[in-house]
Amino acid sequence: MRCPFCGNTDTQVKDSRPAEDHVAIRRRRFCPACGGRFTTYERVQLRDLVVVKTNGRREDFDRDKLERSIRIALQKRPIEPERMDQMISGIVRRLESMGETDIPSKVIGEIVMESLARIDAVAYVRFASVYKNFQAADDFDRFVSELRPLTQPEE
């Protein structure tokens, strides 16, 4: 593994442990050349996924991009980082097990919304506002009014 600080290719693994509910391995590494320490994660990848955008453009699936968008939606929400990592890993496993290498971005968005709806209504609305491209306050109002019957507490 190349050192991100000095570029040395001879780094040493100091510690390995399971991460993300045993679907990844977290490795603490040390660079003997510069003394830098850094962490890497190793995950199983079943297949190379390609995202097909709504305009027809194709790009390689980027787990980090998915993670960033979910973290933004869940920012300042009372969700543990481990729960967030489990959700992201579950979404990726679901996409990989679909049997297709080309996944429409719409499918990914729907799966993310479904997952967010299960754990946090505010994050669900935040993500939906970007995913569905809300343009005005009325868009939020319509979306939330459709959501309200689902989130009403039972009496």
Side-chain angles (χ1 to χ4, degrees):
M1 175 64 62
R2 181 180 307 273
C3 174
F5 306 110
C6 71
N8 179 28
T9 56
D10 186 30
T11 59
Q12 301 170 353
V13 174
K14 291 297 182 186
D15 178 48
S16 292
R17 63 181 64 181
E20 299 174 22
D21 203 28
H22 295 277
V23 297
I25 297 175
R26 176 182 181 268
R27 298 193 194 281
R28 289 291 298 149
R29 295 180 178 267
F30 171 77
C31 176
C34 71
R37 295 180 178 272
F38 59 101
T39 302
T40 60
Y41 289 88
E42 184 178 314
R43 293 180 185 86
V44 171
Q45 182 174 334
L46 297 176
R47 64 188 70 208
D48 291 331
L49 299 176
V50 175
V51 178
V52 181
K53 302 288 192 168
T54 52
N55 65 3
R57 196 169 49 91
R58 300 162 54 86
E59 66 181 50
D60 290 338
F61 175 77
D62 184 355
R63 180 192 171 99
D64 293 333
K65 186 175 178 181
L66 173 70
E67 184 174 338
R68 276 191 309 272
S69 65
I70 291 172
R71 287 195 187 282
I72 288 168
L74 287 166
Q75 194 170 30
K76 296 185 180 181
R77 300 300 303 150
I79 306 298
E80 302 83 27
E82 297 80 26
R83 178 70 180 109
M84 202 178 316
D85 291 338
Q86 289 172 353
M87 184 180 84
I88 293 164
S89 293
I91 291 168
V92 172
R93 274 194 310 273
R94 189 168 162 188
L95 294 171
E96 288 177 336
S97 65
M98 290 175 73
E100 299 290 325
T101 54
D102 292 0
I103 311 282
S105 59
K106 180 178 169 91
V107 170
I108 296 171
E110 294 296 331
I111 291 171
V112 171
M113 284 183 51
E114 180 183 306
S115 298
L116 285 171
R118 282 196 303 256
I119 67 167
D120 190 88
V122 171
Y124 172 64
V125 172
R126 284 179 179 169
F127 187 86
S129 72
V130 175
Y131 173 69
K132 293 182 179 285
N133 196 20
F134 290 179
Q135 298 295 315
D138 290 345
D139 296 335
F140 281 95
D141 192 38
R142 266 191 301 280
F143 185 78
V144 171
S145 67
E146 292 170 11
L147 183 65
R148 278 195 182 109
L150 303 174
T151 59
Q152 289 291 326
E154 293 182 19
E155 297 180 24

